Amino acid sequence: DTEVTQTPKHLVMGMTNKKSLKCEQHMGHRAMYWYKQKAKKPPELMFVYSYEKLSINESVPSRFSPECPNSSLLNLHLHALQPEDSALYLCASSQPGQHYGYTFGSGTRLTVV
Amino acid sequence: SQQGEEDPQALSIQEGENATMNCSYKTSINNLQWYRQNSGRGLVHLILIRSNEREKHSGRLRVTLDTSKKSSSLLITASRAADTASYFCATDDTGGFKTIFGAGTRLFVKA
């Protein structure tokens, strides 16, 4: 088990649905991240929250919106997704300024039908 | 675009052999990290080497970093079937705190 918990593990949604992915960590890390990973490709950074400040990958469409209710939680709200958004969505956390690398969750496998 | 590029893209070896993967990057970095990913799962952090370090060991792993060539290598000694996974290098550039992943090497260790 990792110390970053993602729910749900699997999600199937229609293109008109609204859903949310959740991520939680209790390591006191002050930075949390959402990555998207397609099959046989590396993870691509979508959003970063560091000390509650949001940074966005400009290429991410607006149908994805992150929310950081507190320093331990990170949500990813999904709305009007397309089939090409089907992927593994990974959450990670780290402590900025510390050279310990990232801790990843197990991911949410999202299928858009 | 991805910061790191790795080679080979795929590597198949026998159990007990050593596996070497290489990573090249483009910009100045604070550190370089290696991760392992088993099929369809989350990534596991293996080792981090800082920009002022040249070599680092952790168990059967040995990482080198050559900042003049902007390259790193990961050596797994005495490989096991359980080492079968994808391996990614990732860099934190000096311009920020974002970690960018290379394309990855898929390692197959045959028993």
Side-chain angles (χ1 to χ4, degrees):
Chain A
D1 288 348
T2 64
E3 296 178 79
V4 174
T5 303
Q6 289 187 241
T7 56
K9 293 191 184 304
H10 301 275
L11 178 63
V12 179
M13 61 184 290
M15 290 187 283
T16 58
N17 292 160
K18 286 184 180 181
K19 297 286 185 182
S20 297
L21 308 184
K22 298 184 184 302
C23 177
E24 186 171 11
Q25 57 91 11
H26 294 289
M27 293 175 285
H29 289 172
R30 298 305 301 273
M32 295 184 74
Y33 311 81
W34 280 114
Y35 281 85
K36 173 184 176 182
Q37 186 179 28
K38 302 284 277 186
K40 299 183 181 180
K41 296 291 186 181
E44 295 180 36
L45 182 64
M46 301 176 72
F47 304 103
V48 182
Y49 270 96
S50 182
Y51 293 97
E52 285 84 51
K53 180 181 177 183
L54 174 64
S55 295
I56 300 172
N57 180 339
E58 298 288 335
S59 66
V60 175
S62 60
R63 54 186 183 267
F64 295 92
S65 59
E67 178 199 13
C68 191
N70 59 58
S71 59
S72 298
L73 294 172
L74 184 64
N75 299 322
L76 184 63
H77 301 298
L78 316 172
H79 173 57
L81 295 193
Q82 302 297 308
E84 61 264 29
D85 297 321
S86 298
L88 181 67
Y89 288 84
L90 294 162
C91 175
S93 71
S94 72
Q95 185 60 14
Q98 299 297 317
H99 295 272
Y100 299 134
Y102 286 19
T103 301
F104 278 84
S106 297
T108 294
R109 174 70 63 187
L110 174 67
T111 303
V112 181
V113 297
Chain B
S1 63
Q2 291 298 318
Q3 165 78 310
E5 297 297 330
E6 293 166 77
D7 80 273
Q9 291 187 337
L11 180 61
S12 182
I13 59 175
Q14 291 292 135
E15 205 167 32
E17 293 180 341
N18 295 342
T20 300
M21 291 160 264
N22 302 297
C23 168
S24 61
Y25 57 92
K26 297 176 183 175
T27 64
S28 297
I29 61 171
N30 286 322
N31 62 63
L32 186 143
Q33 305 158 49
W34 285 91
Y35 290 83
R36 184 186 75 231
Q37 184 178 34
N38 291 90
S39 180
R41 306 293 299 276
L43 282 79
V44 175
H45 178 252
L46 296 176
I47 196 165
L48 180 151
I49 187 166
R50 302 184 189 191
S51 60
N52 61 353
E53 297 176 309
R54 292 298 167 258
E55 187 171 315
K56 201 163 184 179
H57 297 255
S58 177
R60 293 184 296 114
L61 307 180
R62 173 177 168 258
V63 169
T64 62
L65 179 65
D66 186 336
T67 53
S68 67
K69 296 180 179 179
K70 291 187 168 57
S71 67
S72 173
S73 68
L74 170 67
L75 168 67
I76 304 174
T77 61
S79 63
R80 305 166 182 168
D83 294 328
T84 294
S86 292
Y87 291 83
F88 295 94
C89 69
T91 52
D92 279 359
D93 64 34
T94 55
F97 49 81
K98 304 176 184 64
T99 292
I100 307 298
F101 287 83
T105 293
R106 297 170 67 197
L107 174 66
F108 300 91
V109 182
K110 294 175 281 188

